[in-house]
Amino acid sequence: MTLPPVTRFAPSPTGFLHLGHVVSALHARASAGKDGRFLVRIEDIDTARCTSAFTNALGEDLQWLGLWPQEPVRQQSRHLADYAHVLTELRNRELLYPCFCTRADIAAASTSYAPDGSIVYPGTCLRGDLSISGRVPAWRLNMQRALDELQEVPSWYEVGQGRISGRADEFGDVVLARRDTGVSYHLCVTHDDAQQGVNCVTRGRDLYDATSIHRVLQCLMKWPEPHYRHHALIKDEGGQKLSKRNGVEGIRTLRAAGWTAEQVLAHPLVLRALAES
């Protein structure tokens, strides 16, 4: 029997809600349909950038737009002990190792790039070439050991496309615990999707490649495999991606200018992004 879809909108409160967020929320709610569940999750593990003011504003704007769910909202900063438990298990299975390299160290030593454009870690600390006394380490997944344990590079199911071949072997040893926060996006998002019963991950096309990493974690931890639906990003008239850094309009700005919630949901940029997905 096919289970009703469970989707989620998972913003990070590093600024005020903007039209790109609205596109993601509408996609997730539409994917849930009439019989499914639409969840909101606050991904606020970056304590340096995420603030309570932005979190509160995000909730107010989503309620004004009619995009606040009936179910409780999960806030990642309240579940750090859960993520620490997963990290401990992976360490005990010798799938993690400490890394003392700075970004400059990595940039100087690596010439390879992952599918998402990030620099592939060259394995300096895995070989034991660097250990800095007093420096807090990050913790990296030993990707080759993980894939050897799984005996495959996991694929995923993309709605509308079918099975997609994973490329986790091209990412190298990704960070699962940053030295500043003690956790990472990859770890928290896969853990929470499993805990919340999310069976259809609806998110922006910019996270398409990261799915390869997430599938490895799901398989290692024996978490359920969701389906994925990666939607088009909001763009300007010239086809360039818009973000809060380069001028995408904020919901609070539109509200102050007299826009209604219905007008914001039908904004031309929102409708264009929805039509392109």
Side-chain angles (χ1 to χ4, degrees), residues 179-239:
R179 59 173 52 92
D180 56 346
T181 63
V183 290
S184 76
Y185 167 76
H186 297 310
L187 176 76
C188 297
V189 71
T190 48
H191 173 277
D192 288 356
D193 284 340
Q195 291 297 309
Q196 294 186 282
V198 174
N199 55 28
C200 183
V201 175
T202 306
R203 59 191 184 188
R205 187 64 176 73
D206 54 336
L207 292 168
Y208 183 89
D209 291 313
T211 311
S212 291
I213 300 170
H214 299 171
R215 287 291 299 122
V216 170
L217 296 176
Q218 289 161 356
C219 291
L220 287 174
M221 297 304 298
K222 295 182 170 52
W223 290 329
E225 176 188 353
H227 288 175
Y228 288 84
R229 184 193 296 271
H230 291 92
H231 61 76
L233 302 175
I234 195 165
K235 299 177 182 178
D236 62 17
E237 294 290 347

Side-chain angles (χ1 to χ4, degrees), residues 100 125 128-133 135:
F100 299 89
C125 290
D129 295 345
L130 183 66
S131 180
I132 306 297
S133 177
R135 181 183 291 179

Side-chain angles (χ1 to χ4, degrees), residues 52-255:
S52 58
F54 286 144
T55 299
N56 293 335
L58 188 152
E60 292 172 3
D61 288 342
L62 286 176
Q63 290 182 50
W64 179 74
L65 288 166
L67 293 172
W68 194 252
Q70 297 296 318
E71 301 191 43
V73 172
R74 182 179 179 91
Q75 192 167 340
Q76 286 185 336
S77 60
R78 299 176 180 175
H79 299 275
L80 297 180
D82 297 337
Y83 311 134
H85 179 77
V86 177
L87 289 167
T88 296
E89 178 176 337
L90 292 173
R91 286 192 196 98
N92 291 341
R93 292 163 61 181
E94 299 184 347
L95 290 169
L96 299 184
Y97 64 90
C99 175
F100 299 89
C101 296
T102 64
R103 291 185 178 181
D105 294 330
I106 298 169
S110 178
T111 58
S112 300
Y113 292 87
D116 63 356
S118 61
I119 298 176
V120 174
Y121 181 66
T124 305
C125 290
L126 178 62
R127 299 190 303 268
D129 295 345
L130 183 66
S131 180
I132 306 297
S133 177
R135 181 183 291 179
V136 176
W139 286 85
R140 291 184 178 273
L141 175 69
N142 186 326
M143 185 64 78
Q144 188 56 59
R145 179 170 290 181
L147 295 178
D148 287 346
E149 180 175 311
L150 298 178
Q151 298 185 329
E152 66 170 346
V153 179
S155 61
W156 79 87
Y157 182 84
E158 183 77 17
V159 175
Q161 297 183 39
R163 297 302 302 186
I164 304 296
S165 297
R167 302 172 65 184
D169 53 324
E170 300 178 33
F171 278 86
D173 298 343
V174 297
V175 170
L176 293 190
R178 290 167 41 177
R179 59 173 52 92
D180 56 346
T181 63
V183 290
S184 76
Y185 167 76
H186 297 310
L187 176 76
C188 297
V189 71
T190 48
H191 173 277
D192 288 356
D193 284 340
Q195 291 297 309
Q196 294 186 282
V198 174
N199 55 28
C200 183
V201 175
T202 306
R203 59 191 184 188
R205 187 64 176 73
D206 54 336
L207 292 168
Y208 183 89
D209 291 313
T211 311
S212 291
I213 300 170
H214 299 171
R215 287 291 299 122
V216 170
L217 296 176
Q218 289 161 356
C219 291
L220 287 174
M221 297 304 298
K222 295 182 170 52
W223 290 329
E225 176 188 353
H227 288 175
Y228 288 84
R229 184 193 296 271
H230 291 92
H231 61 76
L233 302 175
I234 195 165
K235 299 177 182 178
D236 62 17
E237 294 290 347
Q240 297 298 310
K241 175 188 172 184
L242 283 173
S243 69
K244 59 190 174 187
R245 293 181 180 178
N246 60 5
V248 67
E249 292 181 279
I251 304 307
R252 300 218 146 191
T253 301
L254 294 173
R255 290 179 66 178

